[in-house]
Amino acid sequence: MTAWSVFEITGIIAFAISGALTGIQKKLDVFGVLVLAITTAIGGGILRDVIIGNTPPLTFRDPTFFIISAIATIGVCFTYRWLDKFKHTIQIFDAIGLGAFTATSAKLALHQNLDSVVIVTTVAVITGIGGSIMRDVFVKEIPYVFRQEVYAITTIAGAISFYYSQFYFTGNIPLYLCFVITTGLRICCIKYGWNFPVIGISAGKKAPPDNQQPGT
Amino acid sequence: MTAWSVFEITGIIAFAISGALTGIQKKLDVFGVLVLAITTAIGGGILRDVIIGNTPPLTFRDPTFFIISAIATIGVCFTYRWLDKFKHTIQIFDAIGLGAFTATSAKLALHQNLDSVVIVTTVAVITGIGGSIMRDVFVKEIPYVFRQEVYAITTIAGAISFYYSQFYFTGNIPLYLCFVITTGLRICCIKYGWNFPVIGISAGKKAPPDNQQPGT
Amino acid sequence: MTAWSVFEITGIIAFAISGALTGIQKKLDVFGVLVLAITTAIGGGILRDVIIGNTPPLTFRDPTFFIISAIATIGVCFTYRWLDKFKHTIQIFDAIGLGAFTATSAKLALHQNLDSVVIVTTVAVITGIGGSIMRDVFVKEIPYVFRQEVYAITTIAGAISFYYSQFYFTGNIPLYLCFVITTGLRICCIKYGWNFPVIGISAGKKAPPDNQQPGT
């Protein structure tokens, strides 16, 4: 198991926890919680693969991520009252996963001959926020990433740096550069509370919901 | 026309009725009711085909199911006040369709070289509940299958039995075994009111909505 | 740049404006407004390409439409208070785009060997209303095209005329015929307020929301 797998698995667990907590909070039944958690965890990757024509999706060819998110969900069902104390740890996990998936997705987009910085970035953003958009749509919320948090901007910065750095570096350097920029920037956003403006009203007026971390 | 086609058409009609009734109840216009009914009826199959890379979807290559759901919807528009009396018959129809689509989808997943019990089951579940999730998302409801009813568990049991029985039996035996288990279990669930627990609150407190039957 | 490109770009701009205005009205942040506008503008085309197996989608291979919708959105962010005066101009733009996309999609469906009038029409309808359905689902509204307006019927008429006219005419004649019928009919609908009935209640009772124009 490479370091990269560890980053990705860390992210999958963080995303699954976010989906499972939302499901429990919305009073879904056990099956609903499971579907919501798995969708949040691997939905973005499936959406990416379906759109770029990489079918069947990677997670369908190798069910590892699938099984990991299911196990994480079952864990959450027994520990959800107690998980709240680890909110900040989960956010760091989420940032690590976001960085790993941004880099993987940008690389995959290039592989599929999508050679344009706009499109490579779009593919990375779809992977990064797709799962969390599905989660919020399923539980009848306007997607959190549209309303409150500078989440996708870190993915955008990471994907752009990946795209341009691969002209100058070979091997895995662009991949790790993208990971460091995305994850680093995301942790800064969490720490310093950076946010996007809302047009017409002050963004500061809305308190962010507590237990929502966007997933992949 | 084989017995299998009869099962599938029975299911398509039940799913289309469920979508059309939801649309009428939500005061959509005639076009909206039609789209909602067709989406409920064939949306799960389209989603399955798009995800596993079997494009264009089967229902796009042969529009029979499409036309059947449209005709069923037009029928519902004239008889919806009167259909309520046949709620239990429609549920039986729905169970027959669920069994047929579970078996067809599990078989199709194997054909696409998705040789893992987890993934074959996931493909069957997506087909079975995909249409009803789309229906509920369109009309701004949290998907019914996430909240209330042991619907997908029957699909899961059917798909698992299909996957393992095909190692021991040849021909159509795994297909029919899957159908009998899925449909039989579903009818038991309806009859005895079996349900999943909701974490943190008692599931029994929520009364199920009346005219919602999950579709494909 | 051909006349056809001008029609399509006109439509993309109208659709992006509709998405951006909805996002601003729903108090999304700048990133949310951008995603909503781009989704409304190119979501229908992406959905069409994914379903018919034309992946990666056209807009991913050539990011022109993508960039145009982003620029239009930025324009809207600075002028949204003032845009309201041009509501009717935007509706005409929208009608031009709808005609162009209906014709392009119907042609593309035939190219993918989907040779059935039902399916060619369905593909055109998915392209025409897919983006606006996504927009409404994201902001927690029941899709506008299901509730209020004879929008898709003009696409249906256009696609049917395309399908049958290509047996009698060669070259671009079916394409332009489809465009003229779809756009012409749509402008008539706007001008004379034609509408679909709602079953069980009078359609006239619901006032249409102000700043929603369905997009692609």
Side-chain angles (χ1 to χ4, degrees):
Chain A
M1 195 154 84
T2 63
W4 201 255
S5 306
V6 175
F7 296 158
E8 290 194 328
I9 289 169
T10 307
I12 287 291
I13 292 173
F15 297 158
I17 291 173
S18 130
L21 288 176
T22 306
I24 292 172
Q25 190 198 5
K26 292 281 174 179
K27 304 198 163 66
L28 305 187
D29 65 16
V30 172
F31 174 75
V33 170
L34 195 66
V35 173
L36 201 67
I38 293 176
T39 306
T40 311
I42 64 177
I46 291 175
L47 192 61
R48 172 201 65 203
D49 287 344
V50 165
I51 289 178
I52 66 177
N54 181 27
T55 51
L58 291 179
T59 36
F60 275 61
R61 281 177 261 168
D62 172 4
T64 312
F65 284 179
F66 205 97
I67 292 163
I68 290 170
S69 20
I71 293 170
T73 308
I74 294 165
V76 172
C77 289
F78 289 104
T79 61
Y80 67 101
R81 282 179 209 282
W82 167 86
L83 265 176
D84 213 45
K85 291 176 202 159
F86 297 88
K87 222 168 64 182
H88 291 286
T89 317
I90 296 169
Q91 283 192 320
I92 304 297
F93 278 25
D94 182 282
I96 293 169
L98 186 66
F101 291 118
T102 299
T104 308
S105 301
K107 197 180 165 187
L108 201 64
L110 276 185
H111 256 271
Q112 298 271 359
N113 296 319
L114 294 171
D115 191 4
S116 144
V117 67
V118 175
I119 297 308
V120 166
T121 307
T122 304
V123 170
V125 170
I126 288 171
T127 315
I129 69 175
S132 99
I133 291 177
M134 286 186 213
R135 177 198 64 203
D136 292 344
V137 165
F138 282 164
V139 298
K140 250 182 16 176
E141 297 288 342
I142 293 182
Y144 187 55
V145 288
F146 291 177
R147 288 179 296 138
Q148 193 60 43
E149 217 178 328
V150 187
Y151 192 83
I153 196 79
T154 64
T155 299
I156 292 171
I160 291 174
S161 66
F162 176 87
Y163 185 80
Y164 287 109
S165 67
Q166 45 115 2
F167 294 121
Y168 304 102
F169 303 106
T170 53
N172 282 330
I173 296 174
L175 212 63
Y176 278 93
L177 190 70
C178 171
F179 171 73
V180 168
I181 289 177
T182 309
T183 300
L185 209 54
R186 175 79 193 124
I187 291 174
C188 289
C189 287
I190 294 166
K191 203 169 163 188
Y192 302 110
W194 292 342
N195 231 325
F196 261 134
V198 176
I199 297 167
I201 67 151
S202 155
K205 279 177 190 166
K206 295 185 301 176
D210 263 337
N211 59 352
Q212 293 200 347
Q213 307 87 19
T216 190
Chain B
M1 196 153 85
T2 63
W4 201 256
S5 307
V6 175
F7 295 158
E8 290 194 328
I9 289 170
T10 306
I12 287 291
I13 292 173
F15 297 158
I17 291 174
S18 131
L21 288 176
T22 306
I24 292 171
Q25 189 198 5
K26 292 281 175 180
K27 303 196 163 70
L28 305 188
D29 65 16
V30 172
F31 174 75
V33 170
L34 196 66
V35 172
L36 202 67
I38 292 175
T39 306
T40 311
I42 65 178
I46 291 175
L47 192 61
R48 174 201 64 204
D49 287 344
V50 165
I51 289 178
I52 66 177
N54 181 27
T55 52
L58 291 179
T59 36
F60 275 61
R61 281 177 261 167
D62 172 3
T64 313
F65 283 178
F66 205 97
I67 293 164
I68 290 170
S69 22
I71 293 170
T73 308
I74 295 166
V76 172
C77 289
F78 289 104
T79 60
Y80 67 101
R81 283 178 208 283
W82 168 86
L83 266 177
D84 214 46
K85 292 175 201 159
F86 297 88
K87 221 168 66 182
H88 291 285
T89 316
I90 296 169
Q91 283 192 320
I92 303 297
F93 277 26
D94 183 281
I96 293 169
L98 186 67
F101 291 118
T102 299
T104 309
S105 301
K107 197 181 166 188
L108 201 63
L110 276 186
H111 256 271
Q112 298 271 0
N113 296 319
L114 295 170
D115 192 3
S116 145
V117 66
V118 175
I119 298 308
V120 166
T121 306
T122 304
V123 170
V125 169
I126 288 171
T127 315
I129 69 176
S132 100
I133 290 177
M134 287 186 214
R135 177 199 64 203
D136 292 345
V137 164
F138 283 163
V139 298
K140 254 185 9 179
E141 296 287 343
I142 294 183
Y144 187 56
V145 288
F146 291 177
R147 289 179 296 138
Q148 193 59 42
E149 217 178 327
V150 186
Y151 192 82
I153 196 78
T154 64
T155 299
I156 293 171
I160 292 173
S161 66
F162 176 87
Y163 185 79
Y164 288 109
S165 67
Q166 44 115 3
F167 294 121
Y168 304 103
F169 304 106
T170 53
N172 283 329
I173 296 173
L175 212 64
Y176 278 94
L177 190 70
C178 171
F179 172 73
V180 168
I181 289 177
T182 309
T183 300
L185 210 53
R186 175 78 194 125
I187 290 174
C188 289
C189 287
I190 295 167
K191 201 167 164 189
Y192 303 111
W194 291 343
N195 232 326
F196 261 134
V198 175
I199 297 168
I201 66 151
S202 154
K205 280 179 190 164
K206 295 185 300 177
D210 262 338
N211 59 350
Q212 294 199 347
Q213 306 87 19
T216 191
Chain C
M1 197 153 84
T2 62
W4 201 254
S5 307
V6 175
F7 295 158
E8 290 194 328
I9 289 170
T10 306
I12 287 291
I13 293 173
F15 297 158
I17 291 174
S18 131
L21 287 176
T22 306
I24 292 171
Q25 189 198 6
K26 292 280 175 180
K27 302 197 164 69
L28 305 187
D29 65 16
V30 172
F31 174 75
V33 170
L34 195 66
V35 173
L36 201 67
I38 292 175
T39 306
T40 311
I42 65 178
I46 291 175
L47 192 62
R48 173 202 63 203
D49 287 344
V50 166
I51 289 178
I52 66 176
N54 181 27
T55 52
L58 291 179
T59 37
F60 275 61
R61 281 177 261 167
D62 172 4
T64 313
F65 283 178
F66 205 96
I67 293 164
I68 290 171
S69 22
I71 293 171
T73 307
I74 295 166
V76 172
C77 289
F78 289 105
T79 61
Y80 67 101
R81 282 178 209 283
W82 168 86
L83 264 177
D84 213 47
K85 292 175 202 159
F86 297 88
K87 222 168 64 182
H88 291 285
T89 316
I90 296 169
Q91 283 192 320
I92 304 297
F93 277 26
D94 183 282
I96 292 169
L98 185 67
F101 291 118
T102 300
T104 309
S105 301
K107 197 180 166 188
L108 201 64
L110 275 186
H111 257 271
Q112 297 272 0
N113 295 320
L114 295 170
D115 192 5
S116 143
V117 67
V118 175
I119 297 308
V120 166
T121 306
T122 304
V123 170
V125 169
I126 288 171
T127 315
I129 69 175
S132 99
I133 290 176
M134 287 186 212
R135 177 198 65 202
D136 292 345
V137 165
F138 283 164
V139 297
K140 253 184 12 179
E141 298 287 343
I142 293 182
Y144 188 56
V145 287
F146 291 177
R147 289 179 295 136
Q148 194 59 43
E149 217 176 330
V150 186
Y151 193 82
I153 196 79
T154 64
T155 300
I156 293 170
I160 292 173
S161 65
F162 175 87
Y163 185 79
Y164 288 109
S165 66
Q166 44 115 3
F167 294 121
Y168 304 103
F169 303 107
T170 54
N172 283 329
I173 296 174
L175 213 63
Y176 277 93
L177 189 70
C178 170
F179 172 74
V180 168
I181 288 176
T182 309
T183 300
L185 209 54
R186 175 78 193 123
I187 291 174
C188 289
C189 288
I190 295 167
K191 203 168 163 188
Y192 303 110
W194 292 343
N195 232 325
F196 260 134
V198 175
I199 296 168
I201 66 153
S202 153
K205 279 179 191 165
K206 294 185 300 176
D210 262 337
N211 59 351
Q212 293 200 348
Q213 307 85 20
T216 190

